[in-house]
Amino acid sequence: MSWLSNDDSTSKLKETLGFDPSSIQLPTSANSGISGLNISHPLYGLDKGIEYLDLDDEKLSTVQGSQGIIPSRGWSDDLCYGTGSVYLLGLGFGGAMGLIDGLSSINRNYSGKLKLNTILNSITKRGPHWGNNAGVLAMTYNLINSSLDSYRGKHDSMGSVVSGALTGAIFKSSKGVKPMVIASGLTAGAAGLWCGVKKQILE
C-alpha cells in the first residue's frame, strides 16, 4: 500500500505547487552549468552575461555661474525644481494659515464633525490658493531668468534680481501701477535674498 501513499503525496504536492516537480529538467552533467538548463528555467541564458542598457547622461548646464545647490542640465531642470519646490512651500504655508483661521473661527457649540469640517474647509481654501500663486510666480521667474541667462551667456545675482522684479510686475500687471511696483520690489528682494543664501551655501 506504500505506492498509494506516494501517489497521494505526489498529487497533493502537484496541486499545492501548481506543477509536477518531476517534470523539472536539471543539467545533465556537472560541467553543463547554467547553459544546460531548460529554456523555460529562470536562470537560462545567464551564462552569456548580463546586458546593460547604456545611456549617455546629458551634460550639465555650461552657462557661466549656473551651478546651483542641485545639479542642473538647463532651464528645464530649473523650471521643474523651482516651480515644484516653491509650489509645495506655498501649499504648506497656505495650509498652515488656513489651519489657524479654521481654529479661530470654531464656535464652542459646534459638534465634533462640524469643527473638523470647518478646519478642513479653511485649509483646503487657503492652501491651494497660496500654492497656485507661488507656483505661477516661480514658473514665470524661472522662464524669465533662463531667458536672460541664455541671452547674456552667464548667470549672476543681477540677472536673478531683474528677473524677480519683472516677475512681480507681470504678476500684478492687472491691478494697476502701484501694486505692480510693490510686487516688483518684493519679488526682487526675495530673489536677491535667495542669491545670498545660495552663495553662502555653495561657498
Side-chain angles (χ1 to χ4, degrees):
M1 299 294 290
S2 60
W3 61 274
L4 290 176
S5 60
N6 290 336
D7 290 343
D8 291 341
S9 60
T10 302
S11 61
K12 289 181 180 179
L13 184 61
K14 182 178 179 181
E15 182 179 353
T16 303
L17 297 177
F19 65 93
D20 187 1
S22 61
S23 64
I24 298 177
Q25 297 183 7
L26 297 176
T28 56
S29 65
N31 296 328
S32 59
I34 295 177
S35 61
L37 296 177
N38 186 279
I39 192 172
S40 62
H41 196 279
L43 299 180
Y44 177 80
L46 288 183
D47 58 314
K48 300 177 181 178
I50 300 176
E51 297 180 359
Y52 294 95
L53 181 61
D54 294 327
L55 295 176
D56 293 332
D57 293 335
E58 296 184 44
K59 295 182 179 179
L60 297 178
S61 177
T62 56
V63 176
Q64 180 183 354
S66 63
Q67 293 75 22
I69 298 175
I70 301 176
S72 173
R73 290 170 294 185
W75 68 272
S76 58
D77 283 3
D78 294 337
L79 184 66
C80 292
Y81 298 150
T83 304
S85 58
V86 173
Y87 171 79
L88 291 177
L89 287 174
L91 189 66
F93 179 79
M97 294 293 293
L99 177 62
I100 295 173
D101 288 347
L103 291 174
S104 62
S105 62
I106 289 179
N107 193 312
R108 293 182 179 179
N109 298 325
Y110 286 174
S111 63
K113 289 184 178 180
L114 187 56
K115 290 179 181 179
L116 179 61
N117 188 57
T118 302
I119 295 174
L120 292 178
N121 284 340
S122 183
I123 292 174
T124 54
K125 179 181 178 181
R126 287 293 191 94
H129 174 74
W130 279 86
N132 292 337
N133 286 335
V136 169
L137 282 171
M139 184 182 298
T140 307
Y141 168 80
N142 279 287
L143 288 174
I144 295 175
N145 196 28
S146 298
S147 300
L148 287 177
D149 291 348
S150 178
Y151 177 76
R152 299 171 63 221
K154 64 178 180 178
H155 175 81
D156 54 14
S157 298
M158 186 182 73
S160 298
V161 172
V162 171
S163 299
L166 291 175
T167 299
I170 293 173
F171 187 72
K172 288 294 184 179
S173 59
S174 62
K175 301 295 184 180
V177 177
K178 186 176 180 180
M180 285 177 62
V181 173
I182 295 174
S184 180
L186 290 175
T187 49
L193 179 63
W194 168 245
C195 289
V197 171
K198 185 170 64 173
K199 185 177 180 180
Q200 291 295 326
I201 294 175
L202 292 177
E203 292 181 354

